[in-house]
Amino acid sequence: MKRERLPQTGCAWEELESRMHAFARNDVDWRHGRNAFHVWYGGDDLFDVQRRAYTMFMQENGGGAGKTFPSLKIMEDAVIDYGAELLRGDDATGHITSGGSESIFVALKAARDWARKHLRGIREPELVVPYSAHPTFNRAGQYLGIRIVRVPVGEDFRADVDAMERAISPATIGLVGSAVCFPYGVIDPIAELGALAQARGLWLHVDACVSGYSAPFGRALGYDTPEFDFSVPGVASISADLHKYGFCAKGTSTILYRNFSLAAYQPFSFADWPLGRFENPNVASTRPGGSIAAAWAVMNYLGRAGYLRLNERLLRLRDRYIEDIGAIDGLAVNGRPHSLIVSWRVTEPERIDAEAIVGFMRQKGWFLGPMVDPPGMLIGLSVPHEAAREDLLADLAWATDEARQGRRPSADALQSAY
Ligand SMILES: *Cc1c(COP(=O)(O)O)cnc(C)c1O
C-alpha cells in the first residue's frame, strides 16, 4: 500500500495553497448552489464577518471561557441570551456546543439523569421519537444506554402524536419532536407533544437543529410556523444549530433548557485526578474560541433586521421551488414545508426510479440529498440556490424524464450520490 510520508522539509504557503485548490477540484460546487446541504451560505459579507471573527479568536480556547478568556464567556453568554429570546424562554439557559449532534447528546444525558432522579425505578430508559428524527438520537441512545423507540409519522409527514402516546411504556423517560425534521422539512405537532409530556410527566426535547434560528423569523414574517419553542408548555430542552440557518461558522450549535434546574443535569463534574475539580458542560474539553466569536459577530452583524431580510428572501425562494418542483410531471413535494428544507418524492416509484434521477443530477454536478422513504430527494435552500434555480429545475425535469424512459446514469454518479 502506498502511503503518504510527512515531508522531510517544509513547503512554502503559495505552493500549499495551490495544491489545496487542486484537492478541491472535485468538491461539490456549493458556491453555485450545486449542494443539497452540508453548506448553508448566507452571502459573501457574512462569510467575511465569520472569517475575521473566527481568526481573531482562533487560538483562544472555549474550555477556559469562564477563567482565562472572559472575552469568550461574554460572547457565549450573549449568544445564549439571543437564543433564549428567539425561542421565547424567559428563564431559559444553556450552552454553545460543537454542533447539533453534541447538543442532542448533552440533552439526552440531562434527560436521562433527570429521569434517574424524578422517575425512579427505570432500569432501561426509553425515548419515544418520530421516525423522521435525526439518526443522532440513536447514536446518543447507544452511547448513553437509552433505547430509542421510533414511531411512524402521519400522512402529513409530521409526528403522529396518538401513535407516540401508544408507544409510551413504563420505561419511557421522554419524547422528541423536530422543528423542522430534516427529511421532510415539517414541524412536528409540538403543542400536542408538550401536552402529552406534561400529562405523563415526561421530558420533551425539541430538535430545532436545522430551523431553530430561522423559523422564528419565518413566523414573524407571517409564514405558517406551528409553535415549537419554550412558549409551548412541556418543552424541556431545545437543540438549535447556529452553523445551519443561524449562518454562523461550522462547529457552532446551542442547547437550551427551559430553566436552570433542568440545565443542571447536563454538566460533568469530577475531582479524582491530580488537578482536582474538573467541571465541564460540554463533551469536548478544548473548544474553538473562533466559533464562539464568529457566532457573536454574525448575530450582531445581522441583528433582527438582517435575519428577517435573509429569511424573507429565502422563504420566497422556497415557495418558487415548491411550485416549480410540483409542476414537474412525476414529482410531488412531501407535505407542506415549514422552513427552508424542501423534499419531494417520485409519484410512481414503480415506473420512475428516484435513484436514477439523483444519479443523473450527480452527472450534471448537482448533489441532491437522496431519500429512500419515500423514494425521492431533498434540498436545504440557502443563498446560492437563488442563482441556481433555473438550471437546477431544468436539469431536474430532464433527469426525471430520463429516469421515466428507463435510462440509467453512470455507476460513478450513483456511487458518489448514495
Ligand atoms: C443537522 C441536524 C442534526 C445534527 O447536527 P450536526 O450539527 O450535523 O451535528 C440533528 N438534527 C437535525 C434536525 C439536523 O438538521
mmCIF file of all heavy atoms in Angstrom, residues 40 98-104 132-137 139 178-183 207-211 239 241 243-244 251-253 341, ligand 1:
data_model
loop_
_atom_site.group_PDB
_atom_site.id
_atom_site.type_symbol
_atom_site.label_atom_id
_atom_site.label_comp_id
_atom_site.label_asym_id
_atom_site.label_seq_id
_atom_site.Cartn_x
_atom_site.Cartn_y
_atom_site.Cartn_z
ATOM 1 N N TRP A 40 -24.447 25.993 4.357
ATOM 2 C CA TRP A 40 -25.626 26.862 4.492
ATOM 3 C C TRP A 40 -25.083 28.271 4.362
ATOM 4 O O TRP A 40 -24.621 28.852 5.336
ATOM 5 C CB TRP A 40 -26.301 26.623 5.860
ATOM 6 C CG TRP A 40 -26.372 25.153 6.193
ATOM 7 C CD1 TRP A 40 -25.376 24.390 6.738
ATOM 8 C CD2 TRP A 40 -27.463 24.250 5.960
ATOM 9 N NE1 TRP A 40 -25.785 23.086 6.858
ATOM 10 C CE2 TRP A 40 -27.066 22.963 6.393
ATOM 11 C CE3 TRP A 40 -28.758 24.413 5.442
ATOM 12 C CZ2 TRP A 40 -27.900 21.838 6.311
ATOM 13 C CZ3 TRP A 40 -29.581 23.302 5.366
ATOM 14 C CH2 TRP A 40 -29.155 22.037 5.797
ATOM 15 N N SER A 98 -20.518 22.064 19.870
ATOM 16 C CA SER A 98 -19.807 21.961 18.592
ATOM 17 C C SER A 98 -20.735 21.685 17.413
ATOM 18 O O SER A 98 -20.314 21.736 16.268
ATOM 19 C CB SER A 98 -18.784 20.836 18.681
ATOM 20 O OG SER A 98 -19.455 19.610 18.938
ATOM 21 N N GLY A 99 -21.983 21.342 17.687
ATOM 22 C CA GLY A 99 -22.903 21.030 16.587
ATOM 23 C C GLY A 99 -24.170 20.408 17.115
ATOM 24 O O GLY A 99 -24.310 20.145 18.320
ATOM 25 N N GLY A 100 -25.091 20.149 16.196
ATOM 26 C CA GLY A 100 -26.371 19.586 16.596
ATOM 27 C C GLY A 100 -26.217 18.260 17.304
ATOM 28 O O GLY A 100 -26.945 17.952 18.261
ATOM 29 N N SER A 101 -25.280 17.460 16.839
ATOM 30 C CA SER A 101 -25.122 16.149 17.454
ATOM 31 C C SER A 101 -24.699 16.276 18.917
ATOM 32 O O SER A 101 -25.236 15.582 19.783
ATOM 33 C CB SER A 101 -24.110 15.317 16.669
ATOM 34 O OG SER A 101 -24.592 15.139 15.347
ATOM 35 N N GLU A 102 -23.758 17.174 19.201
ATOM 36 C CA GLU A 102 -23.370 17.351 20.599
ATOM 37 C C GLU A 102 -24.528 17.925 21.412
ATOM 38 O O GLU A 102 -24.761 17.523 22.562
ATOM 39 C CB GLU A 102 -22.138 18.252 20.745
ATOM 40 C CG GLU A 102 -21.649 18.300 22.202
ATOM 41 C CD GLU A 102 -20.487 19.257 22.457
ATOM 42 O OE1 GLU A 102 -19.880 19.763 21.499
ATOM 43 O OE2 GLU A 102 -20.195 19.497 23.651
ATOM 44 N N SER A 103 -25.296 18.835 20.815
ATOM 45 C CA SER A 103 -26.443 19.395 21.544
ATOM 46 C C SER A 103 -27.422 18.288 21.923
ATOM 47 O O SER A 103 -27.959 18.261 23.040
ATOM 48 C CB SER A 103 -27.163 20.443 20.684
ATOM 49 O OG SER A 103 -26.350 21.581 20.509
ATOM 50 N N ILE A 104 -27.654 17.353 20.999
ATOM 51 C CA ILE A 104 -28.589 16.259 21.270
ATOM 52 C C ILE A 104 -27.998 15.310 22.326
ATOM 53 O O ILE A 104 -28.693 14.877 23.249
ATOM 54 C CB ILE A 104 -28.933 15.524 19.958
ATOM 55 C CG1 ILE A 104 -29.793 16.446 19.084
ATOM 56 C CG2 ILE A 104 -29.658 14.205 20.234
ATOM 57 C CD1 ILE A 104 -30.009 15.947 17.662
ATOM 58 N N SER A 132 -38.960 10.289 11.675
ATOM 59 C CA SER A 132 -38.238 11.307 10.910
ATOM 60 C C SER A 132 -37.147 12.006 11.723
ATOM 61 O O SER A 132 -36.462 12.881 11.195
ATOM 62 C CB SER A 132 -39.241 12.360 10.427
ATOM 63 O OG SER A 132 -39.976 12.845 11.545
ATOM 64 N N ALA A 133 -36.974 11.639 12.998
ATOM 65 C CA ALA A 133 -35.964 12.312 13.830
ATOM 66 C C ALA A 133 -34.559 11.928 13.367
ATOM 67 O O ALA A 133 -34.335 10.870 12.789
ATOM 68 C CB ALA A 133 -36.157 11.940 15.298
ATOM 69 N N HIS A 134 -33.609 12.790 13.653
ATOM 70 C CA HIS A 134 -32.224 12.612 13.190
ATOM 71 C C HIS A 134 -31.590 11.338 13.776
ATOM 72 O O HIS A 134 -31.863 10.987 14.923
ATOM 73 C CB HIS A 134 -31.406 13.837 13.612
ATOM 74 C CG HIS A 134 -30.111 13.971 12.896
ATOM 75 N ND1 HIS A 134 -28.972 13.332 13.326
ATOM 76 C CD2 HIS A 134 -29.778 14.644 11.771
ATOM 77 C CE1 HIS A 134 -27.984 13.637 12.486
ATOM 78 N NE2 HIS A 134 -28.446 14.432 11.541
ATOM 79 N N PRO A 135 -30.740 10.657 12.993
ATOM 80 C CA PRO A 135 -30.085 9.427 13.478
ATOM 81 C C PRO A 135 -29.283 9.627 14.762
ATOM 82 O O PRO A 135 -29.025 8.661 15.491
ATOM 83 C CB PRO A 135 -29.135 9.045 12.331
ATOM 84 C CG PRO A 135 -29.688 9.709 11.132
ATOM 85 C CD PRO A 135 -30.408 10.944 11.593
ATOM 86 N N THR A 136 -28.896 10.863 15.048
ATOM 87 C CA THR A 136 -28.103 11.101 16.252
ATOM 88 C C THR A 136 -28.847 10.684 17.518
ATOM 89 O O THR A 136 -28.218 10.355 18.520
ATOM 90 C CB THR A 136 -27.651 12.579 16.320
ATOM 91 O OG1 THR A 136 -26.589 12.730 15.372
ATOM 92 C CG2 THR A 136 -27.134 12.959 17.689
ATOM 93 N N PHE A 137 -30.181 10.660 17.480
ATOM 94 C CA PHE A 137 -30.887 10.174 18.678
ATOM 95 C C PHE A 137 -30.514 8.724 18.951
ATOM 96 O O PHE A 137 -30.324 8.330 20.105
ATOM 97 C CB PHE A 137 -32.403 10.360 18.529
ATOM 98 C CG PHE A 137 -32.796 11.799 18.658
ATOM 99 C CD1 PHE A 137 -33.023 12.576 17.536
ATOM 100 C CD2 PHE A 137 -32.866 12.399 19.910
ATOM 101 C CE1 PHE A 137 -33.327 13.923 17.653
ATOM 102 C CE2 PHE A 137 -33.170 13.748 20.049
ATOM 103 C CZ PHE A 137 -33.397 14.505 18.911
ATOM 104 N N ARG A 139 -27.681 7.282 17.897
ATOM 105 C CA ARG A 139 -26.253 7.288 18.245
ATOM 106 C C ARG A 139 -26.075 7.653 19.719
ATOM 107 O O ARG A 139 -25.393 6.959 20.463
ATOM 108 C CB ARG A 139 -25.540 8.304 17.352
ATOM 109 C CG ARG A 139 -24.098 8.448 17.667
ATOM 110 C CD ARG A 139 -23.331 9.154 16.587
ATOM 111 N NE ARG A 139 -24.043 10.261 15.932
ATOM 112 C CZ ARG A 139 -23.428 11.176 15.189
ATOM 113 N NH1 ARG A 139 -22.129 11.115 15.028
ATOM 114 N NH2 ARG A 139 -24.105 12.139 14.598
ATOM 115 N N SER A 178 -39.418 17.268 16.205
ATOM 116 C CA SER A 178 -38.455 18.065 15.442
ATOM 117 C C SER A 178 -39.115 19.326 14.895
ATOM 118 O O SER A 178 -40.297 19.340 14.598
ATOM 119 C CB SER A 178 -37.894 17.260 14.264
ATOM 120 O OG SER A 178 -37.366 16.036 14.684
ATOM 121 N N ALA A 179 -38.302 20.362 14.752
ATOM 122 C CA ALA A 179 -38.797 21.627 14.206
ATOM 123 C C ALA A 179 -37.670 22.283 13.407
ATOM 124 O O ALA A 179 -36.915 23.032 13.965
ATOM 125 C CB ALA A 179 -39.262 22.563 15.341
ATOM 126 N N VAL A 180 -37.507 21.980 12.165
ATOM 127 C CA VAL A 180 -38.224 21.001 11.392
ATOM 128 C C VAL A 180 -37.470 19.676 11.422
ATOM 129 O O VAL A 180 -36.303 19.647 11.811
ATOM 130 C CB VAL A 180 -38.345 21.469 9.916
ATOM 131 C CG1 VAL A 180 -39.055 22.808 9.826
ATOM 132 C CG2 VAL A 180 -36.948 21.635 9.247
ATOM 133 N N CYS A 181 -38.107 18.603 10.976
ATOM 134 C CA CYS A 181 -37.355 17.364 10.805
ATOM 135 C C CYS A 181 -36.567 17.476 9.503
ATOM 136 O O CYS A 181 -37.010 18.117 8.549
ATOM 137 C CB CYS A 181 -38.274 16.145 10.787
ATOM 138 S SG CYS A 181 -39.331 16.014 9.336
ATOM 139 N N PHE A 182 -35.396 16.876 9.499
ATOM 140 C CA PHE A 182 -34.515 17.035 8.341
ATOM 141 C C PHE A 182 -35.089 16.405 7.057
ATOM 142 O O PHE A 182 -35.015 17.030 5.990
ATOM 143 C CB PHE A 182 -33.135 16.439 8.667
ATOM 144 C CG PHE A 182 -32.073 16.877 7.710
ATOM 145 C CD1 PHE A 182 -31.523 18.143 7.794
ATOM 146 C CD2 PHE A 182 -31.633 16.031 6.714
ATOM 147 C CE1 PHE A 182 -30.552 18.561 6.897
ATOM 148 C CE2 PHE A 182 -30.664 16.435 5.813
ATOM 149 C CZ PHE A 182 -30.117 17.701 5.895
ATOM 150 N N PRO A 183 -35.660 15.199 7.119
ATOM 151 C CA PRO A 183 -36.076 14.570 5.860
ATOM 152 C C PRO A 183 -37.238 15.278 5.148
ATOM 153 O O PRO A 183 -37.236 15.350 3.930
ATOM 154 C CB PRO A 183 -36.513 13.159 6.274
ATOM 155 C CG PRO A 183 -35.902 12.928 7.608
ATOM 156 C CD PRO A 183 -35.807 14.272 8.255
ATOM 157 N N ASP A 207 -35.998 19.045 18.716
ATOM 158 C CA ASP A 207 -34.802 19.151 17.884
ATOM 159 C C ASP A 207 -35.050 20.204 16.806
ATOM 160 O O ASP A 207 -35.637 19.921 15.764
ATOM 161 C CB ASP A 207 -34.450 17.798 17.263
ATOM 162 C CG ASP A 207 -33.176 17.890 16.432
ATOM 163 O OD1 ASP A 207 -32.474 18.922 16.554
ATOM 164 O OD2 ASP A 207 -32.883 16.944 15.675
ATOM 165 N N ALA A 208 -34.593 21.422 17.120
ATOM 166 C CA ALA A 208 -34.713 22.525 16.159
ATOM 167 C C ALA A 208 -33.344 22.825 15.559
ATOM 168 O O ALA A 208 -33.029 23.984 15.269
ATOM 169 C CB ALA A 208 -35.295 23.750 16.853
ATOM 170 N N CYS A 209 -32.546 21.762 15.385
ATOM 171 C CA CYS A 209 -31.183 21.966 14.872
ATOM 172 C C CYS A 209 -31.188 22.759 13.582
ATOM 173 O O CYS A 209 -30.471 23.729 13.431
ATOM 174 C CB CYS A 209 -30.487 20.621 14.662
ATOM 175 S SG CYS A 209 -29.753 20.028 16.195
ATOM 176 N N VAL A 210 -32.014 22.343 12.658
ATOM 177 C CA VAL A 210 -31.902 22.961 11.343
ATOM 178 C C VAL A 210 -32.597 24.323 11.282
ATOM 179 O O VAL A 210 -32.082 25.260 10.687
ATOM 180 C CB VAL A 210 -32.363 21.978 10.231
ATOM 181 C CG1 VAL A 210 -33.836 21.691 10.275
ATOM 182 C CG2 VAL A 210 -31.976 22.481 8.865
ATOM 183 N N SER A 211 -33.727 24.480 11.941
ATOM 184 C CA SER A 211 -34.507 25.716 11.744
ATOM 185 C C SER A 211 -34.705 26.579 12.983
ATOM 186 O O SER A 211 -35.452 27.550 12.938
ATOM 187 C CB SER A 211 -35.892 25.375 11.177
ATOM 188 O OG SER A 211 -35.761 24.918 9.865
ATOM 189 N N SER A 239 -32.571 21.839 20.955
ATOM 190 C CA SER A 239 -31.280 21.936 20.268
ATOM 191 C C SER A 239 -31.477 22.793 19.029
ATOM 192 O O SER A 239 -32.446 22.598 18.289
ATOM 193 C CB SER A 239 -30.763 20.546 19.880
ATOM 194 O OG SER A 239 -31.792 19.756 19.293
ATOM 195 N N ASP A 241 -29.076 24.712 15.880
ATOM 196 C CA ASP A 241 -27.733 24.920 15.325
ATOM 197 C C ASP A 241 -27.536 26.332 14.809
ATOM 198 O O ASP A 241 -28.339 26.825 14.013
ATOM 199 C CB ASP A 241 -27.497 23.969 14.149
ATOM 200 C CG ASP A 241 -27.345 22.523 14.586
ATOM 201 O OD1 ASP A 241 -27.318 22.277 15.804
ATOM 202 O OD2 ASP A 241 -27.242 21.662 13.695
ATOM 203 N N HIS A 243 -24.726 26.870 13.083
ATOM 204 C CA HIS A 243 -23.980 26.692 11.829
ATOM 205 C C HIS A 243 -24.851 26.204 10.661
ATOM 206 O O HIS A 243 -24.330 25.893 9.605
ATOM 207 C CB HIS A 243 -22.742 25.805 12.026
ATOM 208 C CG HIS A 243 -23.005 24.395 12.470
ATOM 209 N ND1 HIS A 243 -22.005 23.608 12.998
ATOM 210 C CD2 HIS A 243 -24.116 23.631 12.469
ATOM 211 C CE1 HIS A 243 -22.510 22.411 13.280
ATOM 212 N NE2 HIS A 243 -23.774 22.405 12.982
ATOM 213 N N LYS A 244 -26.159 26.168 10.861
ATOM 214 C CA LYS A 244 -27.050 25.957 9.708
ATOM 215 C C LYS A 244 -27.723 27.306 9.416
ATOM 216 O O LYS A 244 -27.057 28.213 8.967
ATOM 217 C CB LYS A 244 -28.037 24.833 10.004
ATOM 218 C CG LYS A 244 -27.338 23.470 9.953
ATOM 219 C CD LYS A 244 -28.262 22.336 10.343
ATOM 220 C CE LYS A 244 -27.513 21.016 10.346
ATOM 221 N NZ LYS A 244 -28.197 20.010 11.199
ATOM 222 N N GLY A 251 -19.180 24.284 13.465
ATOM 223 C CA GLY A 251 -18.742 23.956 14.811
ATOM 224 C C GLY A 251 -19.485 24.767 15.851
ATOM 225 O O GLY A 251 -18.964 25.022 16.932
ATOM 226 N N THR A 252 -20.723 25.174 15.540
ATOM 227 C CA THR A 252 -21.475 26.016 16.483
ATOM 228 C C THR A 252 -22.954 25.657 16.514
ATOM 229 O O THR A 252 -23.665 25.808 15.517
ATOM 230 C CB THR A 252 -21.374 27.513 16.100
ATOM 231 O OG1 THR A 252 -20.132 27.763 15.489
ATOM 232 C CG2 THR A 252 -21.519 28.380 17.328
ATOM 233 N N SER A 253 -23.388 25.172 17.669
ATOM 234 C CA SER A 253 -24.804 24.906 17.896
ATOM 235 C C SER A 253 -25.127 25.402 19.304
ATOM 236 O O SER A 253 -24.231 25.830 20.039
ATOM 237 C CB SER A 253 -25.050 23.400 17.782
ATOM 238 O OG SER A 253 -26.351 23.043 18.222
ATOM 239 N N ILE A 341 -36.174 23.703 4.178
ATOM 240 C CA ILE A 341 -35.896 22.388 3.596
ATOM 241 C C ILE A 341 -37.116 21.963 2.787
ATOM 242 O O ILE A 341 -38.243 22.025 3.278
ATOM 243 C CB ILE A 341 -35.641 21.357 4.715
ATOM 244 C CG1 ILE A 341 -34.399 21.786 5.485
ATOM 245 C CG2 ILE A 341 -35.542 19.943 4.155
ATOM 246 C CD1 ILE A 341 -33.441 20.714 5.812
HETATM 247 C C1 LIG B 1 -28.111 18.727 11.222
HETATM 248 C C2 LIG B 1 -29.077 18.146 12.163
HETATM 249 C C3 LIG B 1 -28.648 17.437 13.288
HETATM 250 C C4 LIG B 1 -27.192 17.145 13.552
HETATM 251 O O1 LIG B 1 -26.463 18.336 13.659
HETATM 252 P P1 LIG B 1 -24.906 18.401 13.310
HETATM 253 O O2 LIG B 1 -24.605 19.833 13.503
HETATM 254 O O3 LIG B 1 -24.744 17.948 11.890
HETATM 255 O O4 LIG B 1 -24.190 17.514 14.262
HETATM 256 C C5 LIG B 1 -29.628 16.974 14.142
HETATM 257 N N1 LIG B 1 -30.924 17.161 13.911
HETATM 258 C C6 LIG B 1 -31.374 17.833 12.826
HETATM 259 C C7 LIG B 1 -32.843 18.028 12.622
HETATM 260 C C8 LIG B 1 -30.464 18.346 11.932
HETATM 261 O O5 LIG B 1 -30.891 19.013 10.849
#
